[in-house]
Amino acid sequence: MRLILLGAPGAGKGTQAEYLSKRFSIPHISTGDILRENVKNETELGKKAKEYMDKGLLVPDEIVIEIVKDRLSKEDCKNGFLLDGFPRTIAQAEALDKVLQELGQKIDKVLNIEVPDEKILERMSGRRICKNCGASFHVIYRPPQKEGVCDVCGGELYQREDDKEETVKKRLEVYHAQTQPLIDYYKAKGLLVVAYGQEEIADTTKEVLKALGIE
């Protein structure tokens, strides 16, 4: 099973990726993670990427693609993989097609987890984190017993910058602008399947398996 996973921030992609990775015994490959790993291990590609990351710049496509190619050629990807966070653009998608061709592989399905923006906004802007122990709460779905106070350690709860409503709206705008062309690209290739994110994780998993044709 060779999968690409798409989904807006807050759509529950990470949780489903973890499940699919275990269920099919395939590695969950997040480009962010492999970039950081290469930087940490000071590989040649990692050193190149670090120059850009240190300046707060996006790592150029050719470096990201080389890093992805290197990861996909590893032994544990022989029976499949799950790509998360890559490709982000049509140029990256086309480059990935070439890389897979060289490796004698091809993508089986591109899974898009769809959740309405207003639901994501509610999910993310309602999150509260404990400053002391890092426990997570939600003003609607998992409210603390006492407002602003952590049930676990009594620490102060706060809202992270990237969970603030304006930030979430901006992130969603960027995501849609970036991802719509990709959705169209894979739809045209007949690879796109859609799972509709539900309130409960287990219900989303059922939708995911149905979309992949696994009941």
Side-chain angles (χ1 to χ4, degrees):
M1 176 79 71
R2 294 176 182 87
L3 289 175
I4 290 172
L5 202 53
L6 302 175
K13 211 166 39 121
T15 310
Q16 296 306 321
E18 219 172 282
Y19 169 80
L20 291 169
S21 169
K22 282 191 187 127
R23 166 92 191 240
F24 298 109
S25 304
I26 54 175
H28 169 207
I29 299 170
S30 149
T31 36
D33 291 349
I34 52 173
L35 265 174
R36 283 187 288 273
E37 206 176 296
N38 274 273
V39 169
K40 194 176 111 192
N41 296 333
E42 295 186 347
T43 66
E44 277 314 305
L45 287 165
K47 284 177 195 166
K48 283 183 195 167
K50 190 174 186 295
E51 286 175 26
Y52 292 91
M53 289 158 86
D54 285 349
K55 292 175 192 155
L57 299 170
L58 279 177
V59 179
D61 275 6
E62 58 269 27
I63 295 176
V64 178
I65 287 149
E66 274 304 310
I67 285 175
V68 169
K69 183 180 178 179
D70 176 63
R71 181 66 187 87
L72 294 181
S73 57
K74 298 266 192 290
E75 192 59 36
D76 64 345
C77 291
K78 286 273 194 293
N79 297 319
F81 51 79
L82 195 155
L83 273 176
D84 176 3
F86 183 89
R88 286 185 191 273
T89 62
I90 299 289
Q92 288 183 353
E94 289 169 345
L96 176 64
D97 290 344
K98 280 189 193 141
V99 163
L100 290 173
Q101 217 173 343
E102 285 169 29
L103 295 171
Q105 299 178 354
K106 63 180 178 25
I107 292 297
D108 294 315
K109 297 229 166 90
V110 177
L111 174 69
N112 184 23
I113 298 177
E114 268 192 25
V115 178
D117 282 4
E118 56 274 17
K119 214 35 164 170
I120 287 178
L121 205 52
E122 183 187 88
R123 274 184 195 176
M124 292 179 79
S125 62
R127 278 200 295 222
R128 298 292 182 271
I129 311 291
C130 174
K131 278 185 176 174
N132 188 35
C133 74
S136 181
F137 297 86
H138 194 283
V139 293
I140 299 168
Y141 304 117
R142 197 191 165 205
Q145 286 167 1
K146 188 178 173 194
E147 196 181 330
V149 179
C150 174
D151 292 354
V152 183
C153 73
E156 184 193 339
L157 299 182
Y158 78 108
Q159 184 182 40
R160 289 188 318 198
E161 276 305 315
D162 58 358
D163 284 341
K164 291 195 168 153
E165 193 165 322
E166 278 318 301
T167 313
V168 176
K169 278 182 180 165
K170 189 77 202 133
R171 285 173 73 192
L172 286 170
E173 268 171 43
V174 170
Y175 173 78
H176 291 307
Q178 220 180 32
T179 311
Q180 196 53 52
L182 266 188
I183 288 171
D184 297 339
Y185 177 81
Y186 286 118
K187 200 184 273 180
K189 284 176 163 278
L191 293 172
L192 189 81
V193 292
V194 178
Y196 296 96
Q198 308 294 311
E199 288 299 337
E200 298 295 326
I201 290 170
D203 293 336
T204 302
T205 303
K206 276 183 200 157
E207 286 287 320
V208 163
L209 292 175
K210 197 161 70 180
L212 295 173
I214 303 147
E215 294 297 335

